[in-house]
Amino acid sequence: MNNSGIYLASQSPRRRELLEQIGVRFEVIAVEVPEQRRPGEAAVRFVERLALEKARAGWQQSAQDRPVLGADTIVVLGDEILGKPGGPAGAEAMLARLSGHEHRVMTAVAVIGVRNGEEHEAMRLSISRVRFRQTTAAERRAYSASGEPDDKAGAYAIQGRGAMFIEHLEGSYSGVMGLPVFEAADLLREFAIPVI
């Protein structure tokens, strides 16, 4: 059993919080990975590729003495990926598009490490369906002005004030937050990382 924990190739406070929740020790590694979708790339392939690229970048920067976890989350409305809003006006526009509609939140988790003496990569994908209630322009404006949506894919935080817009969730609450705990724990056990 590996008790030294993992490297987390993410600076997301939500991912740190969720790993702490399941008792995983980790050290954060800052990685820079271009988040550009390739022409014709399906949303699922895009989120999986980014998670794997982040884990690989972290592996290259690390001492390679323990596994590296990378993750990426996207919000998909129809066939369109909604990224981070880039400010209050962008957040209001995204929230207006989500109002009264169902969207998907996809979070891919990748782990790279050594298993049985060999370098190994593994991945899991969580897809959740989220339905927003109808929202008013005043609600969207006030929420956008709060700053909470600024660094969130789809311009909302399920674990924050954004929860008031969510009428229905089918899938993983933690996956919508940015790290599906069930899938992450399953992956980490593959690499002999204790959880809980």
Side-chain angles (χ1 to χ4, degrees):
M1 195 65 69
N2 180 343
N3 288 320
S4 60
I6 65 168
Y7 293 106
L8 173 61
S10 171
Q11 295 189 63
S12 163
R14 292 158 301 282
R15 292 190 179 115
R16 291 194 305 258
E17 176 186 333
L18 290 164
L19 284 173
E20 289 167 354
Q21 180 180 312
I22 59 171
V24 175
R25 295 174 53 196
F26 61 89
E27 180 181 332
V28 173
I29 295 178
V31 295
E32 293 292 326
V33 172
E35 296 190 7
Q36 284 297 121
R37 190 175 182 190
R38 295 175 179 158
E41 187 174 35
V44 168
R45 297 295 157 244
F46 175 60
V47 74
E48 289 178 332
R49 178 176 59 80
L50 287 181
L52 192 54
E53 286 180 3
K54 290 175 182 182
R56 286 176 177 162
W59 183 251
Q60 292 305 312
Q61 291 179 41
S62 76
Q64 299 182 354
D65 57 339
R66 55 190 132 145
V68 175
L69 183 146
D72 196 70
T73 301
I74 59 173
V75 171
V76 184
L77 180 63
D79 291 326
E80 185 181 352
I81 295 174
L82 302 181
K84 296 175 184 174
E92 280 187 62
M94 278 189 195
L95 293 166
R97 295 186 63 206
L98 293 172
S99 178
H101 293 98
E102 181 177 278
H103 61 276
R104 291 170 293 155
V105 178
M106 301 178 184
T107 300
V109 183
V111 175
I112 299 176
V114 175
R115 278 187 9 196
N116 303 321
E118 307 246 339
E119 188 176 310
H120 181 73
E121 299 178 346
M123 184 172 330
R124 299 287 185 281
L125 176 68
S126 168
I127 301 177
S128 300
R129 296 188 179 281
V130 179
R131 185 171 56 246
F132 265 37
R133 66 170 172 80
Q134 287 288 341
T135 59
T136 67
E139 288 174 318
R140 295 189 296 269
R141 188 169 32 260
Y143 181 59
S144 297
S146 75
E148 185 176 272
D150 291 353
D151 65 340
K152 314 291 187 302
Y156 72 93
I158 193 170
Q159 74 281 7
R161 295 176 187 172
M164 68 183 168
F165 300 137
I166 297 171
E167 184 174 70
H168 182 77
L169 165 66
E170 179 183 320
S172 170
Y173 177 87
S174 61
V176 176
M177 272 181 74
L179 186 71
V181 170
F182 177 84
E183 289 82 354
D186 189 44
L187 272 176
L188 293 173
R189 281 191 293 269
E190 277 189 35
F191 289 86
I193 299 297
V195 293
I196 299 193

